[in-house]
Amino acid sequence: MVEELPGPVAVIAGGLSHERDVSLASGRNLVRELSALGVEAHAYDFDRNLLHTLERDKVVAALPALHGQFGEDGEIQTLLELISMPFVGSRSRACRVAYDKGTARELLRRDGIPVPDSVGLSAQTFRDIGAAALMEHVMHRLGVRVVVKPARGGSALGVAGVDGLAALPSALVGTYAYCEDALVERFHEGVDVSVVVLETDDGLHSLEPVAIEYEKGHEFDFSARYSAEFVSLSRPDLPEDQIARLGEVARQAHRTLGLRDVSRSDFIVSADGSFVVLETAITPGTTETSVFPFACTLSGTSLGEVARDLLRRAVEAGPPA
């Protein structure tokens, strides 16, 4: 086992996706946490100089903190594999599968994991077929309350809650500004709960679950998710057997999607105890108001300690195959 990291590590953040600002905040927090533990950690932006500077600086391992395109779609992972750089997180092939919500949900559903009923609609279909011919059929299948979201992406960008047929076309248009493909999913009433899964030397473990509560009217608000004024995090008030079950399903989702090192599964838990998995994130956010750091604290550790251990494991594993 590697007792100390044998050189500097890179936290890769920023990039050019719609989630650049969130990624930069995640990266800053990771560097701060790692540096407090004595780790030589530096932030690197995702730009044309990245590969050269990683090699020039003799970085021993990388921790991608890129969200959305280029970070969770397999691109940064492909580049790190190309230069044989040890890194934290899932391999490029698994990222490509998990990043597409429609594909990932089908895999989860086949493995017996409950997911919301949904319909995928591309911008091209929406334009060619027309809203009038589609909307009534979508609502008939899914109900009048639905959620519209990009098929690829995160951080609630392009996500909208819809109550009634008349509001659906404009919600779709808003979503298409972020992605050419949209998911329209059945709305599930309940508590938002997220479970972070970690791979350690002792196997796959779930951290304590985190309940997320948004101020009324901000449930689908991008900015609210990163403002302590509009969001509160806590341990969910659920029976222990239910909490254990959520952890079990989060680990199952991690395995089903072929992920590595870390993931975060987001649930809606209804009052009757039933639940659905909304998505399993490849690169959980690490901002000061993100679920991941809070889950670490609830579990008796810290984001810095977890990140350091994951980086050590990456160094031990060596260059990606």
Side-chain angles (χ1 to χ4, degrees), residues 39-59:
V39 176
E40 185 183 351
H42 303 282
Y44 292 77
D45 207 334
F46 184 82
D47 58 25
R48 65 178 59 192
N49 298 315
L50 176 62
L51 300 186
H52 169 70
T53 52
L54 290 176
E55 294 178 314
R56 181 200 65 196
D57 295 348
K58 295 181 169 49
V59 167

Side-chain angles (χ1 to χ4, degrees), residues 109-138:
R109 186 190 65 77
R110 289 181 185 178
D111 207 20
I113 296 174
V115 296
D117 190 15
S118 61
V119 173
L121 289 175
S122 70
Q124 188 67 50
T125 297
F126 182 78
R127 288 191 294 265
D128 292 350
I129 302 300
L134 289 171
M135 298 304 98
E136 187 174 347
H137 292 287
V138 170

Side-chain angles (χ1 to χ4, degrees), residues 2-23:
V2 177
E3 295 297 332
E4 297 294 338
L5 290 163
V9 299
V11 175
I12 304 173
L16 298 174
S17 80
H18 295 296
E19 298 170 72
R20 174 178 173 82
D21 289 344
V22 177
S23 174

Side-chain angles (χ1 to χ4, degrees), residues 128-147:
D128 292 350
I129 302 300
L134 289 171
M135 298 304 98
E136 187 174 347
H137 292 287
V138 170
M139 289 292 195
H140 178 73
R141 172 172 167 176
L142 302 177
V144 295
R145 296 188 71 189
V146 297
V147 178

Side-chain angles (χ1 to χ4, degrees), residues 250-283:
R251 294 191 298 275
Q252 183 184 356
H254 184 96
R255 288 189 293 263
T256 296
L257 297 175
L259 303 183
R260 196 185 75 139
D261 288 338
V262 61
S263 67
R264 189 200 68 235
S265 286
D266 300 331
F267 299 80
I268 296 291
V269 182
S270 300
D272 63 2
S274 63
F275 60 83
V276 291
V277 175
L278 298 179
E279 70 172 301
T280 297
I282 303 157
T283 308

Side-chain angles (χ1 to χ4, degrees), residues 29-279:
N29 203 32
L30 279 167
V31 169
R32 183 166 50 246
E33 291 262 349
L34 286 165
S35 298
L37 296 175
V39 176
E40 185 183 351
H42 303 282
Y44 292 77
D45 207 334
F46 184 82
D47 58 25
R48 65 178 59 192
N49 298 315
L50 176 62
L51 300 186
H52 169 70
T53 52
L54 290 176
E55 294 178 314
R56 181 200 65 196
D57 295 348
K58 295 181 169 49
V59 167
V60 298
L63 199 169
L66 293 162
H67 304 310
Q69 189 179 18
F70 307 121
E72 297 178 275
D73 61 358
E75 289 300 310
I76 183 60
Q77 292 79 10
T78 296
L79 294 176
L80 294 172
E81 290 163 358
L82 187 65
I83 64 171
S84 299
M85 170 71 66
F87 66 91
V88 172
S90 301
R91 295 293 186 240
S92 59
R93 182 178 298 179
C95 291
R96 291 188 188 96
V97 171
Y99 186 60
D100 187 286
K101 293 183 177 68
T103 301
R105 281 186 178 180
E106 181 58 21
L107 291 173
L108 296 177
R109 186 190 65 77
R110 289 181 185 178
D111 207 20
I113 296 174
V115 296
D117 190 15
S118 61
V119 173
L121 289 175
S122 70
Q124 188 67 50
T125 297
F126 182 78
R127 288 191 294 265
D128 292 350
I129 302 300
L134 289 171
M135 298 304 98
E136 187 174 347
H137 292 287
V138 170
M139 289 292 195
H140 178 73
R141 172 172 167 176
L142 302 177
V144 295
R145 296 188 71 189
V146 297
V147 178
V148 181
K149 59 182 61 175
R152 295 171 294 280
S155 299
L157 285 167
V159 179
V162 176
D163 191 357
L165 181 65
L168 185 53
S170 61
L172 280 165
V173 170
T175 296
Y176 291 139
Y178 294 94
C179 181
E180 283 288 301
D181 299 293
L183 278 183
V184 184
E185 69 183 29
R186 187 187 305 276
F187 177 81
H188 285 262
E189 190 79 55
V191 180
D192 288 66
V193 178
S194 291
V195 180
V196 173
V197 169
L198 292 177
E199 290 186 28
T200 71
D201 294 335
D202 299 322
L204 202 59
H205 297 279
S206 302
L207 296 184
E208 288 285 342
V210 177
I212 309 157
E213 186 174 356
Y214 301 100
E215 184 175 304
K216 189 172 179 60
H218 292 273
E219 294 88 347
F220 306 104
D221 189 334
F222 165 75
S223 60
R225 299 203 170 204
Y226 303 97
S227 171
E229 179 183 356
F230 297 115
V231 64
S232 61
L233 305 177
S234 63
R235 191 177 190 273
D237 184 18
L238 296 171
E240 288 303 314
D241 61 339
Q242 176 78 333
I243 284 176
R245 176 62 179 151
L246 294 177
E248 179 186 339
V249 172
R251 294 191 298 275
Q252 183 184 356
H254 184 96
R255 288 189 293 263
T256 296
L257 297 175
L259 303 183
R260 196 185 75 139
D261 288 338
V262 61
S263 67
R264 189 200 68 235
S265 286
D266 300 331
F267 299 80
I268 296 291
V269 182
S270 300
D272 63 2
S274 63
F275 60 83
V276 291
V277 175
L278 298 179
E279 70 172 301

